[in-house]
Every structure is written in C-alpha cells, then in structure tokens.
C-alpha cells in the first residue's frame, strides 16, 4: 500500500494524541507509532476480515457539538469521549479525526488473552517439531499475551491430519491451522488464483483445494510465509532445518527480470561436506520491486546452484586441467587470435562479470560483445524512456493504465504479473495485447489482438485507435513489451513504436510512466549498460570469430541454428556453470560460480541495480567469472585482476555514467519501508526484513532531460508463410528444462511434457488429434517431436512451441516450418 | 383478529383470487399511489418493529437507504432456523401473497430494483409453492415490469439456502445469496449502505413477519396499528409455542399479552399436569427464564420488547420453548450448545473454539464426570465469548450456558455431585452426538 | 450423467436469469447436481464450477459448508430427524433412537439395501409437529413409530413399483 499522504487527522491512543494519515488502517497507524496491536488474521497486504479477534481495542470518538463542530468537554474540562459499548477490531477500523483508542486496559488485555487461549484449545502445541518454531506469530503472541497455562483437557483436543499435501509443493497440518484465511485471501486477492478455500464450518473448518493438479499456483510458496503458524510448509524446506540454525543472506533471484529480493537461508551442512548450503529461499522485502512476494520458480529453483551437473574443475581439450593451466591456454588462444575475438554473455551474469569480459575483449581490440539469448531488442530504449525513477507498480491505480504487449507475463515475469493485477484491482486499466490467447487475458481489463508479425504495426498505429486514446489519456502509463512471436527485428520495431507513443503522449521521464520489457534472465539491462547487444550476437553468428568466449550461455540447448556457425569458430572458451554440451566442444572450459557463491549485482527490468551476497560455499574450483576474465587479462598483460567484486563495481561506477552512485555501500542502503516488518507481530519474522540494501535505480535519459533518439522505425514486412507451412512461434514457459531449473527435482512434475499448441481448424485440416505425437520441421534444424495440444488458444496458421521443454532446441524466435503427425507425411496443399 | 395468520380465518387465502377478494394487494395499490418517502414515514409512524429478533424500527431501516443509488434491493429473511421458531413458515404456506405484497411495499418505499426472498433450504416445498404465487402476482401486474402502471420495475425471486442457521444473520444471508460461504461480513458498511448490501448495493433486510404487517398498516393506517400492543411494541406478534404445553403452535396475539394468557388461555396449559420449570422465550439463543411452578408471578410478564428486557431476557423472535419440572437444565444447555457448535460458521475465533470447548465440558458434566470447577470453567468460557464475536451467534451460544448456570445452579450441582438427577428421565445421560460429516467424523471417531 | 443434460436446461437458464452475478447460481446448481448424481459428486462440482465461472475449489467449499448438500452418496430415502430441543421435549430423541433400531442403522448410516439413510438434524421449524423428519427435503410431521413404520412400508412399496 502506498499512501499519498495528503491529509492527516488527530487520533488519541492511550491518551496521547498523534497525527496520522487520514483513513489509514488503525493497526498500521498504531504500528507506525510503535504500538503493536497484535493480529493474526490481519495482513496489511490484504483486505481486513476481522476474523481472529486478536486486535480488539476500546474504541471511541471525541464528541463534537453538531451545530458548532466544537469539541464537547466533560465536567473536568476533558474532551468527552463516546465509547463503543463493545470492544472493536482495530484491523477493520480506519482512523478518523478525534478517534480515541485504548490498547492497554485490563479489558483489552483480557480479550487478547482470551483469544490466544481460544486458539490454543485446538492447537497441538508441537512447537519443538514445527518448522515455524522460533519464527511463529502464535508462539510469540502466546508469550506476550497468552494465559500461561491451559484449561483445556489435552484429550479433548481435535486430532486431525498433520500431513495433507495440498499439492506437490505445499503441505497442510490441519491441527496447526488457526483458520485465519490469510492463505485463502492471498490466493484470491494477491495471486489472483482462488484455488484455496474453507471446507465445512465451525470447528470443522479446514483449508482445501480442489484444483487439478493440486495447489499449483505460481505463487503458492508465499502462503507458507504469511501463514502465522506452521500449518503450511513447503515440500522443499519441510523438516529441512530449524529456523534458528539458519543464516540469512540477502540475495537477488537470478531467474527473471523482476529481480525479486530474496533471502537465502543457509546452514553448514554435513551432506555438503560441512559447507554452507541453501536450505530455502525466502522473499526479502523490497516494496518497489517484489514487496514481500516471490514466485515458486524463485523459491524452489535454487537447487541448480549445487546441481550434480555443475562443472567443478577446468577442462582443456575435454581433459581436466589445473586452473592456472586452463587460464594460460585460454590466454594463449586469445593472443594468437589478435582482435578476431568475440564474447557472447548470458543474461543472468553479474555486472562485474560482464564488465571484466568487456575489458578483456576491448583489451584485445574487439568490440564484438553479444548478448544471449538474442531475442529481445531495445534495452537501449529502456535506458532512454524506461519507467521513471521512483516507479512503484503498487502506486498504480484508478486513472492509470498498463499495456502488456506480446508478452505472456505470467510465464516471463510472474511477480510483475502479480503486481499489475493488483493495480488492475485498484482500478488501473490493464490491456493485454497479443496474437494468441494466454492466461494473461484473465488478468486484463481489456484485450486486443493482432496477427503474428503485426505487433510493431499495431503499436505504431495505436495512436489513432480508441484504445490508443484511452491509453494516452491515462494519468500514468506503462508499456510492458515481450517478444512473444517476434523476430529480433520486429522486437526492435515494437520497442521503438512503444517508445514513440510514450514520448508523444508525455508518459516518460516521471515515476510510474515509461517502458518495460520482459527481457530474458535477471540482468539483460546490465548486458546493455556493459555494452552487450543481441544485434552483436547475430553479427557474430554471421561472421564467426576465430576465438569465441561463451559465458554462461547455453547456446546449444537454446538455439538449433548455432550448429551452423559454431563449427566455424576455431576456439571456444567456455565460462560455464555446467558441464554442458558446449563445455564438451570448448577448447577450454572454465567453471564459474553461481549467484549463490559470490558477491555481485544485477540490473532488473526497472533498471534497479541490486546487490547479492555470498551465501554458500564454493563448488569445486569454480571461480567468479569476473575473476576468470580478469586473470586471463592479467596473463595478456591487461593489468592486475581486481581483488573483489566491490572493486570491479568501483571501476564500473567510474567508467559507466549510469552506474554513478551504485557503489556497493550505496546499493546496501536501506530505508524504512511500509509495511514495517521488523520484529513485529504481523509477520513474526516470516517475511524478511531488508538488511542487504534496496538497490539504486538508474535514471533514464528522459528522467535527466537528455535528448532522446528512438531511431527510425523499421517496420518489417509480415513474413510470408508458404503453402503447407505454418508459423512456428517459440514461447517462454516458467517451468521448463533449462539447466538453471532442472536440478529442482521437486518441480519436475510441474514441468510439462513437450507440447505444441495448434488451432483446432488447423488440426482438423492436418489430421492431427489432441495428444498426437507430431513432428515440427524447420529448415536447418533437426525435427522436433512433441505432443499436439489442440485448443482454441493458438491462432490459425501458428504452432505455439514452448522453449526448453523438449530435449531438442526450439528456435529462438518466430520462424516458418511445418507440422505433421508422426508417421504421416506433411499434408501439402495446392 | 388475525393480521398475519389470516389463513386461520379464511382457509384458502393462499390462493390469489381469494386473497384479492379479501382486500389483497390494496396496501400495495395505496403505497404506489403515494410517494416512496411518504410510505416510509407512514411505516415509521406505525412503530412496526423488526420481527426477526432485534426489534429495530422497520421504517427507520428503510429510511437509511440512499435514495440516489440507482440499484437497491430488498432481501426477505425467510431463513427461520432458530430452534423453536416456525411462524414464517406458516405465513409462507398459508398467507404467501401478503408477504409478497408487504415485500413489494417495502420495495416501492426504497424504490428497489429487485426483491430476493431467502428461504432456508428445508423450505423446499414452501419455496416451490411460493414461486407459483409470485408468478400469479406478476401476471396480475403487482410484481415485475411496470408495477401497477407506475413505470417502476421490480421482480421478486426466491433463493433457497441449504442448511445453515447462520444464513439468518443478515450479512451472512447476503453472502450466501451471492454464492459464497454463509459467513457474516465485517460491518460497517451495513447492508443499508452502498457497499454493504447485496452485490455491494444498498439493501433492506427484513424478516417475513415484519413485512407481512405492511399491507395492513398501509390499508388501516399507522394509528390503528399503534392501537394494538403496548406503548413501545405495536401490533400483533406471532408467538411460536413449543415444548411441554398441551397445544403447541403459533398464536398471533397483540404484543403485551402475558405468558400466562399465552400458555394457559391459548396453548392449553402445561402438559401432563406438570409444573413449569423454565422458559426459553427466544429459542435457543435468548436468556432462559426460571419459573418456579405454574403460579410463579413471572408468568405475568408481558410479552413486549420492553417488558421482556425488564425481566432480564429478550423477546427476540418470540419462539417460546416451555420446559416442565422433569427437565434437566444441564441437558437443555447441552442441546443448545450442540446446536450452536453445529451452526457456528467458524469465521471468528471465540465462537468457533468456544462452542467446541463448551460442548466438550458440558458433555463431561452431563455424563457425571464433571467437577465443580468445570461449571466455573464453562461459565468463564461463555463469558469470554460474549461481546467479542463478529456476529451475535457467539453471544447466542454463550447465553444458554451463562443463564442456565445462573438460573438453575442446582441442576449443575446435582451433576457434579453425582446425585440422582431428573435428567435420567427427561434426557439421555449422554446427549446424541452432533451430525458428523467428512472430516469432522474422522476427527472425532474416537469419542 | 451430467447436469448439461437437456432436462435441466430450462431450470438452469431460469436460475441464471434471477441474478446479476453468475456466482449466485452456485447453490441452486448444486441442488441440480445433487439431483442428478444422488449426491454432490466430483463431476457435479466440476460442472457447476464451469457453469458459474468459479474455481472448483470454491464450489466444493460451498458444498461443504451447507448441510443439505451431501458429499457422500446417501440412501434412496434420506431421513433427517429433528431432535433439537423443542422436538426432543416431545420425544424426538426416543423416536430417533427407535427409528435407527428399526432400520438397523447407526447415526448417519445407510441401510444395507441402500434404501434409507438416517441422521439427526437441527431445528426444522416444525417444533409443534414433533416428532418429525425430512425425507429428501419433504417434511413428514406428527410422527410416532407406528406411523413411521407404515410410512417406511409405503416407501418400500413405492421403490419396488418404481423398479418395475
Ligand atoms: C445468528 C443469527 C441468526 C439469525 N437468524 C434469523 C432468522 O432466521 N430470521 C430472521 O428474520 N432474522 C434472523 N436474524 C436477525 C437478522 O440478522 C436481521 O436482524 C433480521 O433479519 C432483520 O429483520 P427485521 O428487522 O425485520 O427483524 C438472525 C441474527 C443472527 C445474529
Ligand atoms: S460469532 Fe460464530 S457465527 Fe458469528 S461470525 Fe463468529 S464464528 Fe461465525
Ligand atoms: S480480527 Fe483484527 S487481526 Fe484478526
């Protein structure tokens, strides 16, 4: 909640007067004044329901003379208070002028004690074996307000199922549940996926889900955080460790451009040879980025960091080598190549890594820096007209608008989807425009469609349409693009047109306005600021260099067409997390550290530079990529390698103007946030306070009033699809078989079998039935076999082909191909 | 004279023709000839008070509806589930058109866009018959489009509940009508306010009996109505008499009639020549009255809102359950708490946990295994539940415990001292378990 | 089997016409599902959810809250005896007990032939006509065991005739 504090009112709490924002929730207002009114069901992120009755207070209002509006005084000259005859729930009360509250009377104390006692009548009191033990609001509030001893016969207690799987991920302990409905409300109000509910009634009330398969929301893990008892636990962490044994390290989720702030709970683990390993991932509060939420991919996807497929030792020519030797071989190869060198770097590398790689290449005289995967263009435009400094999606509401175009945001950047859905609920117009139907349509206030290939044109022409006028007239407008169904050229055209529209309608250079894009990975913007572009990648493919450094990019799994040109590269130097196919091809393969093993920074899609910290012990001989690059540089006489990531960043801040003010110390700066979660009763330590820093947002060119250069828009022709051919549209799905997700075994059942969606009319024409095994043939790539999913979501003439589900690589961007039932030749018409 | 139970005077008045032949729908015609605000003033002047339990002025409630809102609703509360209440059912079965007419008068007064009659699910047959009555009224132009040529459209619909006492609570009723769990809402906003009613629109919720008074008031005027009853309690009231009387049933009498007249003149006196021991005057939920035999002057208490309050209890919905000397009041408390435990919606802590806990301990006492401290314990638990719940069900559930302990301490004493108790005859030593479904059954399979 | 069956089309259409919001139709439709399947079966829940545009979880939640929806199959005659306080004061507990003995069923149980389910319920607003029960939602009042036995025989005969 962001309150635009315009008006304040006077309220009296325990006889002291305070000025508080008009209309604020009483629990929140009191909390801000240091008075913790205890709550169980209330949660500042959700609408109050007044169920648990823990927040009862004495409530009254100062009497005012109707005619004069003056305060009525009693015999003692004190303002006269009209008290409610009964205690009132603070959580359902909004402050108003003259409100009088007592929170410390005998009656209030008694009521609190009673509620705790009532809750404990059914509670199993199994704290010593409970995952929430030590960070449990019920435990804390029992200490503070509880009755001290029980009057309930233990034998009379309910005995209920303690291990109810709500799905594969979340378990319910029915005995511990206190029926606060936080989880139900979270799913309904916040996640927008109301798959939890109460069943039966009275004391038999229980949480259920009837969805198929089980509780399967992308945000399900958050319910375990906000559960004020240990009733909901994740399959990942259940019985994994006791909260007090854990060390919490601030981190940033490496999975997508949202850049959710996380807290990695680590513990020295016997199974890991006594090293610190990640036991769980928790959200860390950053109200401007992820509030207190993360998606399940971020929460459960951390296992790759110590996956069995991590490359542990350097290799040269496919044989193990010492690091010194491997670095030397790399340096020699580079030296021999002169400036005929290029780098392709992945979109989840840290800024420090990218900077060091750039220094290395530049030192050799090469400017060929490619970004991987080369799917989304226009990061330069985000740097110019991206969302203004201070943007907070939570501030969007009535009168504002968001256009989501060519993106299945739910799959590409789930927490943005969650937050934009909240904005819609607050009254913002959310328009989802795409060539195919996606589940995003459910979260839209209106939808728009265009044909594949027409997205740039749609955007370019939007101004004249009613929709365009509506968007133009919005108080605040954010355009969020994706590359769903676009080629890289189209992607650039779309971004340019979006930028032009924003500039024309004045929605730039201020908070809550501007351009965002669902880029791949966690640091696509960092790639841009460090000089890596997708266009350079295409150029590298066109003119392969003698030596190619491939850093944290799974070229072979990502793109079937690399085979064509990669063979032309003489020497591949691979800096890699994994012992993957490319490592096998490489002359030198150097193991690098993941985000969990070292310090670094990412720039998220809103251009916030955010810092992550070393959480777990090193894996084998893996080294930070910036160090690898630096040491090769050192061998090539480029100067001494930096001693720390912080030192690399210091270098960056001096050389890259955008990073001015992004030194580690500045990135670690924290400020009080609302809601306040420190040591408090709302969360009882289950959402993590941000101690690692809120990050620093890079201003856009528009923010700084610089001249903008969108460039001439080249709207490409819609590709001609020949007879008997179909458009092949690769798409992104959240749960897939990428290496950075594959080690999370828990998630395996959640990853779909490879499939392709086609329209029922096409299916009929091609004699394909739902569930048939089909073969998709694309020029220059081996055939892809998947199951056909015949439905109404794919537009006619298009095959929707999710990436990273099949073992075969799927094209990076939209292309033309054909589809046929396995064992049946393609039907060619005409 | 029957204003409400006219089916007792004219047996087939449920038929449309018979109803209209006997002055039916004249009240609505009169109302439609008046300004809505005039109708509200008239009903206000009659001092008609809500018959659903709380006794709130009907006219006043109607006047709270913001006139400027384009959409407004009337929700008729026909959930009638309080133990011992069966008056609305008789109205619905024998004089349905008068309810429809009354609801339409209310609808006109607030310029409602639709009327929903929420019937408890068990009124399955009643509801289906009522649908036909509504269709007749619609055909005749009293309901539906352009009512009586006034240009005003208002349809009447029935909606069946499905077995939940709590849906009689007005905000739970609205939730249920919206297809949600029948759990009470946080108030404010109240139903009469924008945001608090049905589909968030301003809504009047009135009991069946309340609205059935309206046609008579329109036709005969508020002054005539006020002539009936007492100073603060105007009009007739249907008293539902059940339990140990010779002639249980509904009796429509002026408010202010005494218990003695009701029970002896009308309900045939106490059955089997026994002495009366206690009365629950408002079903299971109101404070129980101690009656020391048939000559107790307390039976001269007038059945009016104000006199009942003076006597330390409430009139409520006037469901009068009579218990004779053979009845063990601990058993009564147990029956009552089992009811509320079964009907607690579970939304708020003190009611959900309190009813569960009370039932356990009362059962213990009833089975002879209780101690004196158990009586103090339940008294204390019940008091801790009072006044702190989201809706009044929590208070209702506490009442039978608090007031039976207060008024019949000797019955509790007898149990904890394991003396011979009257209950052995009147009630099973161990009360029957509450119905068990699904998980509850599994959870309690042990007891 | 399905509530999509033509025979329900009119009723379902009329139901949706009553309310400005689809969700309000969930209770009436659950009755239809119960009629079709004999109980609120998983298929029924799924179908109602589709009609009302609700998550099946929310439909199941409704079915679980209200006691007149049965989430388990019941006997052909579902006998719900009121033994709440007013009825109990007029012998309903004893009647309930005898009925169970007569049919040889436990509380909530169904006779071996699948004909009768007996359970007790809270006040049904027929306190002056106790003992009474509700059979498949229709009230049978002013009972005693003699009358009840005759009624049971009648139901058995009806069921037999139906079979033929
Ligand atoms: C738990 C509970 C159950 C109630 N049950 C009923 C009921 O069955 N019928 C009814 O008319 N009012 C019932 N009420 C009262 C209603 O909330 C509401 O006050 C009433 O319908 C208003 O109508 P009236 O003003 O005409 O009495 C109940 C209240 C509570 C708290
Ligand atoms: S008092 Fe009982 S019935 Fe009322 S809201 Fe609370 S739990 Fe539900
Ligand atoms: S009732 Fe206010 S916090 Fe639960």
């Amino acid at each position: 909640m962001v309150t635009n504090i315009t008006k304040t009112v006077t309220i009296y709490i325990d006889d002291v007067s305070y000025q508080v924002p008009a209309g604020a929730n009483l629990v929140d207002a009191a909390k801000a004044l240091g008075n913790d009114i205890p709550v169980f069901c209330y949660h500042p992120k959700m609408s109050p329901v007044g169920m648990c009755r823990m927040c009862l207070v004495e409530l009254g209002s100062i009497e005012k003379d109707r005619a004069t509006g003056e305060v009525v005084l009693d015999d003692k000259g004190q303002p006269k208070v009209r008290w409610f005859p009964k205690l009132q729930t603070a959580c359902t009360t909004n402050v108003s002028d003259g409100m009088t509250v007592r929170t410390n009377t005998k009656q209030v104390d008694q009521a609190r004690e009673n509620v705790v006692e009532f809750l404990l009548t059914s509670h199993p009191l199994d704290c010593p074996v409970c995952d929430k033990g030590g960070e449990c609001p019920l435990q804390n509030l029992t200490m503070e307000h509880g009755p001290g001893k029980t009057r309930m016969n233990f034998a009379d207690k309910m005995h209920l199922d303690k291990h109810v799987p709500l799905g594969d991920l979340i378990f319910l302990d029915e005995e511990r549940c206190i029926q606060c409905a936080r989880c139900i409300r979270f799913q309904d109000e916040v996640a927008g996926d109301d798959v939890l509910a109460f069943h039966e009634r009275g004391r038999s009330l229980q949480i259920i889900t009837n969805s198929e398969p089980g509780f399967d929301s992308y945000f399900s893990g958050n319910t375990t955080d906000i559960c004020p008892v240990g009733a909901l636990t994740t399959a990942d962490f259940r019985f994994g460790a006791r909260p007090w044994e854990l060390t919490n390290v601030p981190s940033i989720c490496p999975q997508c451009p949202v850049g959710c702030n996380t807290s990695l709970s680590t513990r020295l683990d016997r199974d890991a040879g006594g090293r610190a390993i990640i036991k769980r991932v928790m959200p860390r509060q950053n109200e401007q980025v992820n509030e207190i939420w993360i998606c399940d991919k971020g929460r459960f996807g951390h296992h790759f960091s110590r996956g069995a497929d991590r490359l542990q030792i350097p290799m040269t020519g496919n044989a193990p080598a010492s690091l010194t030797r491997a670095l030397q071989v790399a340096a020699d190869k580079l030296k021999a190549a002169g400036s005929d060198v290029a780098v392709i770097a992945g979109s989840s590398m840290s800024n420090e890594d990218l900077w060091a790689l750039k220094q290395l290449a530049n030192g050799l005289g090469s400017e060929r820096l490619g970004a991987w995967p080369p799917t989304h263009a226009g990061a330069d435009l985000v740097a110019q007209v991206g969302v203004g400094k201070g943007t907070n999606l939570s501030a969007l509401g009535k009168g504002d608008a968001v256009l989501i175009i060519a993106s299945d945001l739910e799959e590409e950047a789930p927490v943005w989807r969650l937050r934009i859905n909240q904005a819609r609920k607050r009254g913002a117009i959310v328009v989802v425009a795409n060539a195919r139907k996606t589940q995003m349509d459910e979260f839209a206030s209106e939808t728009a469609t265009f044909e594949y290939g027409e997205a740039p044109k749609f955007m370019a022409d939007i101004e004249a349409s009613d929709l365009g006028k509506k968007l133009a007239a919005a108080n605040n407008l954010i355009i969020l693009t994706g590359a769903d169904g676009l080629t890289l050229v189209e992607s650039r055209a779309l971004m340019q047109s979006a930028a032009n529209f924003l500039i024309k309608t004045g929605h730039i250079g201020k908070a809550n306005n501007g351009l965002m894009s669902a880029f791949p990975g966690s640091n696509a913007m960092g790639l841009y600021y460090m000089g890596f572009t997708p266009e350079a990648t295409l150029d590298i493919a066109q003119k392969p260099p003698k030596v190619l450094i491939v850093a944290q990019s799974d070229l072979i799994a990502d793109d079937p067409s690399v085979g064509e040109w990669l063979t032309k590269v003489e020497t591949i130097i691979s800096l890699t997390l994994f012992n993957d196919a490319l490592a096998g091809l490489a002359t030198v393969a150097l193991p690098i550290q993941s985000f969990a093993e070292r310090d670094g920074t990412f720039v998220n899609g809103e251009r916030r530079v955010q810092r992550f910290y070393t959480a777990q012990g090193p894996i084998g001989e893996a080294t930070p990529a910036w160090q690898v690059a630096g040491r090769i540089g050192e061998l090539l006489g480029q100067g001494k390698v930096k001693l720390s990531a912080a030192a690399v960043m210091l270098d960056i801040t001096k050389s890259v103007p955008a990073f001015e003010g992004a030194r580690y110390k500045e990135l670690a700066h924290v400020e009080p946030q609302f809601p306040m979660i420190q040591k408090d009763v709302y969360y009882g330590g289950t959402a993590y306070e941000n101690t690692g820093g809120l990050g620093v947002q890079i201003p856009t060119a528009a923010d700084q009033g610089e001249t903008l250069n969108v460039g001439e828009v080249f709207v490409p022709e819609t590709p001609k699809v020949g007879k008997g051919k179909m458009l092949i549209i690769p798409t992104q799905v959240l749960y897939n078989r990428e290496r950075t997700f594959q080690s999370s075994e828990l998630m395996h059942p959640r990853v779909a079998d490879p499939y392709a969606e086609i329209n029922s009319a096409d299916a009929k024409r091609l004699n394909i039935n739902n569930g048939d095994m089909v073969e998709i043939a694309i020029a220059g790539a081996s055939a892809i076999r998947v199951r056909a999913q015949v439905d109404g979501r794919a537009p006619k003439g298009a095959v929707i082909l999710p990436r990273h589900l099949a073992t075969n690589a799927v094209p990076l961007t939209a292309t033309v191909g054909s589809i046929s039932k396995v064992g049946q030749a393609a039907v060619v018409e005409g | 004279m029957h204003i409400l139970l006219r089916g007792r005077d004219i047996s087939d008045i449920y038929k449309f023709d018979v109803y209209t032949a006997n002055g039916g729908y004249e009240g609505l015609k009169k109302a439609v000839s008046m300004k809505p605000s005039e109708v509200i003033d008239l009903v206000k002047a009659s001092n008609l008070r809500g018959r659903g339990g709380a006794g709130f002025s009907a006219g006043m409630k109607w006047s709270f509806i913001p006139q400027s809102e384009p959409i407004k609703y009337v929700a008729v509360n026909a959930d009638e589930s309080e133990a011992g209440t069966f008056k609305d059912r008789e109205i619905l079965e024998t004089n349905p058109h008068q309810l429809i007419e009354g609801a339409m008068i209310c609808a006109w007064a607030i310029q409602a866009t639709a009327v929903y009659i929420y019937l408890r699910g068990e009124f399955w047959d009643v509801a289906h018959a009522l649908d036909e009555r509504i269709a007749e009224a619609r055909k005749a132009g009293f309901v539906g489009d352009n009512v009586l040529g006034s240009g005003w459209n208002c349809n009447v619909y029935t909606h069946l509940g499905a077995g939940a006492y709590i849906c009689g609570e007005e905000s739970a009723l609205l939730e249920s009508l919206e297809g949600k769990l029948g759990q009470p809402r946080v108030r404010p906003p109240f139903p009469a306010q924008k945001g608090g009613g049905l589909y968030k629109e301003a809504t009047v919720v009135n009991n069946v009996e309340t609205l059935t008074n309206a046609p008579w008031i329109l036709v005969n005027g508020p002054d005539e109505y006020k002539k009936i009853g007492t100073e603060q309690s105007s009009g007739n009231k249907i008293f539902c008499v059940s339990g140990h009387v010779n002639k249980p049933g509904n009796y429509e009498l002026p408010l202010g009639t005494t218990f003695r007249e009701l029970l002896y003149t009308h309900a045939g006196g106490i059955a089997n020549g026994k002495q009366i021991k206690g009365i629950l005057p408002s079903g299971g939920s109101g404070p129980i009255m101690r009656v020391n035999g048939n000559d107790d002057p307390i039976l001269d208490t007038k059945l009016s809102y104000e006199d009942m309050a003076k006597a330390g209890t409430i009139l409520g919905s006037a469901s009068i359950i009579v218990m004779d000397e053979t009845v063990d009041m601990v058993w009564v408390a147990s029956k009552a708490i089992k009811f509320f435990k079964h009907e607690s919606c579970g939304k708020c802590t003190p009611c959900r946990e309190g009813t569960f806990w009370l039932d356990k301990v009362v059962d213990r006492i009833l089975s002879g295994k209780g101690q004196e401290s158990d009586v103090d314990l339940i008294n204390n638990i019940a008091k801790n539940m009072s006044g702190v719940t989201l809706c009044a069900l929590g208070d209702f559930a506490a009442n039978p415990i608090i007031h039976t302990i207060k008024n019949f301490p000797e019955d509790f004493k007898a149990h904890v001292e394991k003396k011979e108790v009257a209950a052995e005859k009147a009630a099973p030593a161990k009360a029957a378990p509450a119905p068990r479904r699904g998980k509850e059954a599994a959870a309690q399979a042990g007891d | 089997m399905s509530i999509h069956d033509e025979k329900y089309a009119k009723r379902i259409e009329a139901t949706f016409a009553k309310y400005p919001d689809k969700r309000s139709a969930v209770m009436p439709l659950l009755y239809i599902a119960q009629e079709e399947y004999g109980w609120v079966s998983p298929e029924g829940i799924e179908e109602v959810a589709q009609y009302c545009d609700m998550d099946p979880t929310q439909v199941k939640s409704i079915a679980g809250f209200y006691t007149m929806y049965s989430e388990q199959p019941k006997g052909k005659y579902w006998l719900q005896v009121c033994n709440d306080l007013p009825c109990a004061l007029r012998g309903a507990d004893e009647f309930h007990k005898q009925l169970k003995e007569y049919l040889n069923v436990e509380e909530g149980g169904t006779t071996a032939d699948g004909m009768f389910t007996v359970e007790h319920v809270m006040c049904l607003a027929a306190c002056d006509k106790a003992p009474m029960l509700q059979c498949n939602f229709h009230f049978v009042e002013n009972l005693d065991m003699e009358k009840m036995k005759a009624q049971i025989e009648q139901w058995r005969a009806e069921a037999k005739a139906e079979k033929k």
Side-chain angles (χ1 to χ4, degrees), chain B residues 309-426:
Chain B
K310 268 184 240 151
T313 183
I314 57 167
L315 182 66
S317 55
S319 30
I320 289 157
I321 307 173
V322 177
M323 289 154 288
D324 71 18
E325 58 191 299
T326 63
V327 176
D328 170 13
M329 291 301 173
V330 180
W331 172 79
V332 171
S334 162
K335 276 277 180 193
I337 199 63
K338 281 188 195 306
F339 176 85
F340 291 114
K341 176 188 158 203
H342 186 258
E343 300 302 337
S344 167
C345 80
K347 185 170 179 177
C348 73
T349 309
C351 172
R352 178 184 69 238
E353 304 293 340
T355 51
F356 172 78
W357 195 1
L358 286 176
D359 180 47
K360 290 274 180 196
V361 184
V362 173
D363 264 359
R364 190 155 76 217
I365 296 171
L366 198 57
S367 68
K369 293 192 194 113
Q371 296 167 353
E372 219 177 304
S373 61
D374 283 333
V375 181
D376 297 335
L377 177 61
I378 52 173
N379 206 3
N380 183 261
I381 299 168
K383 284 182 175 153
N384 290 350
M385 285 167 69
S386 302
V388 294
T389 47
L390 184 56
C391 84
L393 194 145
D395 300 311
F396 294 174
N399 276 337
I401 304 295
I402 295 171
H403 294 274
T404 44
I405 292 177
K406 185 169 148 221
N407 289 329
F408 302 95
E410 68 276 16
D411 286 27
F412 283 90
K413 214 164 164 196
H415 276 284
V416 295
E417 289 175 2
K418 299 175 189 64
K419 284 195 201 130
E420 180 80 20
V421 280
E424 299 298 321
K425 282 170 277 156

Side-chain angles (χ1 to χ4, degrees), chain A residues 20-35:
Chain A
V20 295
N25 180 289
L26 178 54
V27 170
D28 296 341
K31 167 89 191 149
L33 301 168
N35 185 332

Side-chain angles (χ1 to χ4, degrees), chain A residues 716-734:
Chain A
E717 296 244 337
T718 314
K720 295 250 175 339
V721 182
K723 275 258 159 73
K725 297 275 188 206
M726 303 272 282
L727 265 177
I728 310 296
I729 306 294
T731 59
Q732 175 76 23
V733 289
L734 190 68

Side-chain angles (χ1 to χ4, degrees), chain B residues 73 80 82-86 89 116 120-125 157-164 166-167 176-183 199 242-245 248-249 280 321-323 327 331-332 335 338-339 342-343 345 428 433-435 437-438, chain C residues 11 17-21 23-28 31 35 54 58 61-72 74 80 83-86 88-90 93 96 100 107 119-129 132 134 136-139 141:
Chain B
Y73 294 110
E80 188 160 62
E82 180 69 50
T85 316
F86 42 87
R89 181 180 158 207
Y116 289 94
R120 65 179 298 181
E122 294 87 345
F123 288 176
W124 183 264
D125 293 330
Y157 305 104
T158 59
H159 181 96
L160 272 167
I166 188 61
C167 292
S176 182
L177 241 172
E178 291 179 10
K180 302 181 186 144
L181 294 186
Q183 294 185 323
Y199 308 117
S242 65
H244 291 146
V245 291
L280 276 162
I321 307 173
V322 177
M323 289 154 288
V327 176
W331 172 79
V332 171
K335 276 277 180 193
K338 281 188 195 306
F339 176 85
H342 186 258
E343 300 302 337
C345 80
R437 307 179 312 115
Chain C
R11 256 166 84 190
K18 283 186 182 182
Y19 313 103
D21 185 4
R23 187 168 176 141
S24 282
V26 65
M27 291 179 70
Y31 277 126
E35 193 174 315
M54 287 165 73
Q58 305 303 324
S61 171
I62 299 291
F65 185 87
Y66 297 97
T67 56
M68 288 173 69
Y69 301 121
S70 173
E71 294 185 277
Q72 283 113 36
K74 294 274 155 141
Q80 296 178 295
N83 74 341
D84 213 344
L85 179 62
L89 289 170
R90 304 188 74 81
D93 278 335
H96 176 224
K100 284 189 291 188
E107 172 60 22
E119 68 187 29
H120 81 87
V121 291
M122 297 304 167
C123 183
L124 289 177
C127 323
D128 54 337
K129 304 187 181 77
M132 61 82 61
Q134 181 184 239
N136 299 347
F137 305 164
H138 306 296
F139 284 15
E141 299 172 325

Side-chain angles (χ1 to χ4, degrees), chain B residues 49-69:
Chain B
R49 295 174 65 169
R51 304 295 196 235
F56 191 79
S57 157
M60 191 86 88
K61 190 184 278 186
W62 301 1
S63 72
F64 293 155
I65 299 291
Q67 283 301 327
S68 54
E69 288 300 328

Side-chain angles (χ1 to χ4, degrees), chain A residues 341-423:
Chain A
V341 168
V343 185
I344 289 180
S347 56
S348 293
M349 297 198 87
S350 79
N351 295 313
E352 295 74 6
D353 299 340
L354 297 171
W355 179 251
L357 285 165
K358 177 185 158 80
Q359 298 312 305
L360 178 61
N362 290 169
L364 290 162
S366 167
E367 299 281 353
R368 303 184 75 190
L369 305 173
W372 191 262
T375 49
H376 294 60
D380 52 322
L381 294 162
V382 172
Q384 292 189 61
V385 298
V387 288
K389 214 169 146 95
T391 291
N392 187 342
L393 295 179
S394 302
L396 296 177
K398 219 173 154 58
D400 302 330
V402 180
L403 168 64
I404 302 168
I405 180 164
S407 164
D408 186 354
L409 205 57
E410 173 90 344
E411 304 289 338
E412 297 167 6
V415 168
W416 281 348
R417 194 286 280 156
L418 176 145
R419 300 188 71 207
I420 289 169
N421 187 43
Q422 298 287 95

